[in-house]
Amino acid sequence: CPWLLRYLTTVVITNKRRWAVLTQLLNVIQEERYTYRDPIIEFVEALLVKFDFEGAQKKLQECESVIVSDFFLSMSVDPKEFLESARLFIFETYCRIHKKIDISMLAAKLSMEPADAERWVVQLIRNANLKAKIDTKENQ
């Protein structure tokens, strides 16, 4: 049952403590790469194996249609919550790699307007008690 990997990957994406099990998930994805392909799995692979943020964003758009059309996921996962968790996942991964982030570039990567992206980042900083600053002069 390789399609169970879709459900496992969805759970990891929507889980706030995803980093604890991510290595194990990536190992399974790498092992099953040739037997099962799926937009949700390809999203994680693009994000964490290839560090292809544009590719991950494209796959994220496909993920919504997969969630809506999958019998089990459509009953248990809200597509909007999944997309929000996936955007957070992209943001966390991007922040782990880069020291400074341009808000307008981040907005493009998250398919958001720059003002919405800035508000979203401010809310993340507040909710997570992160030690971060927003420089409005340099848009970072």
Side-chain angles (χ1 to χ4, degrees):
C1 9
W3 62 87
L4 288 176
L5 188 55
R6 171 191 289 176
Y7 305 131
L8 177 64
T9 305
T10 302
V11 168
V12 170
I13 291 170
T14 57
N15 188 341
K16 301 291 183 203
R17 292 184 241 157
R18 69 177 65 90
W19 296 101
V21 295
L22 215 47
T23 304
Q24 295 157 338
L25 176 65
L26 286 174
N27 289 338
V28 174
I29 288 174
Q30 293 290 357
E31 288 175 19
E32 299 296 326
R33 177 181 5 189
Y34 301 108
T35 58
Y36 184 71
R37 303 301 294 163
D38 180 273
I40 296 173
I41 295 166
E42 290 172 349
F43 165 76
V44 172
E45 191 175 37
L47 187 61
L48 296 176
V49 175
K50 300 175 185 173
F51 296 104
D52 178 11
F53 294 97
E54 287 81 20
Q57 188 61 41
K58 289 177 186 172
K59 289 298 172 184
L60 185 57
Q61 294 169 354
E62 296 175 29
C63 289
E64 186 173 13
S65 63
V66 170
I67 290 171
V68 170
S69 64
D70 185 281
F71 178 76
F72 296 109
L73 289 179
S74 65
M75 292 189 310
S76 60
V77 177
D78 179 23
K80 291 182 182 181
E81 287 180 25
F82 177 85
L83 292 175
E84 184 66 24
S85 294
R87 283 182 175 149
L88 177 60
F89 195 16
I90 292 171
F91 179 71
E92 288 173 348
T93 305
Y94 198 81
C95 287
R96 288 177 185 260
I97 296 171
H98 298 87
K99 189 173 183 179
K100 290 186 178 184
I101 300 169
D102 182 32
I103 296 288
S104 58
M105 192 264 317
L106 177 66
K109 294 209 180 297
L110 296 175
S111 298
M112 299 172 85
E113 292 296 319
D116 294 335
E118 185 173 346
R119 273 183 255 143
W120 186 73
V121 169
V122 167
Q123 195 64 31
L124 283 176
I125 292 170
R126 285 182 185 153
N127 291 342
N129 292 326
L130 295 174
K131 293 182 181 178
K133 297 178 186 176
I134 295 180
D135 185 356
T136 54
K137 289 181 184 175
E138 294 187 30
N139 201 26
Q140 296 179 343

